[in-house]
Amino acid sequence: MDLQYFRSQGERPENLDLFTCLSIGKYSFFILADGYGDSSEEDINNYLQEICFKLISPHQKSELSDVLKDTIPERAWMSILIAKVSKNEMEICSIGDCRAYINERLITSDDSLAWQNLSKRKCFGDVAKLVAHHPLRHKLTDSMTPQRRKDIIKKREAIYNGDTIIFCTDGIWPIFHEDICSGSFSVKDLDVKTEDNSLAVSIML
């Protein structure tokens, strides 16, 4: 497994796009967080450490959705994506607008008013492209917050040796969605300067 990542603070006073990963036995876990509001980098880091502690606990629950449901942040607001990768399968939970792609194919949808409104009249592929320029793109319909008690949906995707997985925050995908889908996107060659924090992770299996 070859992992590369890009992380930039942009023009923000603090970088709230954070990433961590760990391996437990035959599984690798990848967690992205994109903080907003009154969140701090310390608060988000503490929350990600709490998730990691739950994952390595000998009494851990097997479902990612249960881990997230039982681990509510105390002082942070964020979009979050957590993936569990094994030899032939990836399980993924995404809340907010972090995105996941497998082999140039988007496999998550955004929890935003832009996605919600566009999906009423457009197909998935068109929505994924058009939402980048929609005025309601930043208006989230769901995210991980101290008050969140909603159910969490988990997806499963088949994966194989040679596949490429890309995780990214909304500092990346509005600019590079079409490049990712065309196969011309390269994390190691990224040199983007934007107003927003930005984070991209590439995993070659």
Side-chain angles (χ1 to χ4, degrees):
M1 183 181 296
D2 177 37
L3 186 150
Q4 298 174 346
Y5 76 94
F6 170 87
R7 182 171 180 255
S8 172
Q9 186 168 325
E11 298 178 9
R12 298 292 175 87
E14 193 173 15
N15 195 343
L16 302 183
D17 282 9
L18 302 177
F19 164 69
T20 190
C21 61
L22 69 157
S23 294
I24 307 170
K26 62 181 181 179
Y27 299 109
S28 295
F29 294 88
F30 303 90
I31 310 169
L32 273 75
D34 178 0
Y36 67 92
D38 293 329
S39 302
S40 70
E41 185 171 352
E42 180 181 6
D43 290 338
I44 297 173
N45 258 322
N46 290 340
Y47 178 63
L48 296 186
Q49 289 175 21
E50 187 178 352
I51 290 177
C52 290
F53 178 79
K54 289 280 183 70
L55 292 173
I56 65 176
S57 169
H59 306 294
Q60 71 170 6
K61 294 186 176 180
S62 59
E63 299 292 334
L64 294 183
S65 53
D66 290 334
V67 172
L68 283 178
K69 186 176 180 180
D70 293 345
T71 315
I72 302 298
E74 293 183 5
R75 294 184 303 275
W77 290 257
M78 73 197 81
S79 293
I80 190 164
L81 181 151
I82 178 170
K84 177 181 179 181
V85 177
S86 60
K87 184 177 181 180
N88 298 117
E89 184 178 74
M90 179 170 73
E91 300 176 16
I92 188 166
C93 293
S94 179
I95 304 167
D97 60 357
C98 295
R99 287 188 174 186
Y101 299 78
I102 298 178
N103 295 335
E104 300 132 34
R105 177 176 61 92
L106 180 64
I107 62 169
T108 56
S109 56
D110 306 339
D111 293 311
S112 70
L113 282 175
W115 190 286
Q116 179 177 290
N117 291 346
L118 287 168
S119 63
K120 294 175 182 177
R121 59 185 187 278
K122 300 287 185 178
C123 68
F124 183 91
D126 287 341
V127 173
K129 178 180 177 180
L130 293 172
V131 74
H133 309 289
H134 198 283
L136 297 177
R137 176 172 66 80
H138 294 295
K139 300 294 184 181
L140 297 180
T141 57
D142 196 8
S143 60
M144 185 59 76
T145 70
Q147 298 80 25
R148 192 183 191 282
R149 296 295 183 271
K150 296 179 182 179
D151 289 336
I152 297 171
I153 298 172
K154 182 186 70 175
K155 296 185 63 176
R156 283 189 170 93
E157 293 282 340
I159 53 176
Y160 306 94
N161 286 339
D163 283 353
T164 298
I165 299 169
I166 293 174
F167 303 125
C168 56
T169 64
D170 69 343
I172 292 291
W173 60 257
I175 306 170
F176 294 105
H177 170 75
E178 292 184 64
D179 291 335
I180 295 172
C181 293
S182 70
S184 60
F185 180 77
S186 172
V187 168
K188 69 177 181 179
D189 296 327
L190 271 181
D191 182 20
V192 58
K193 295 178 176 63
T194 64
E195 177 185 344
D196 200 2
N197 301 157
S198 54
L199 172 66
V201 180
S202 174
I203 303 155
M204 172 73 79
L205 300 178

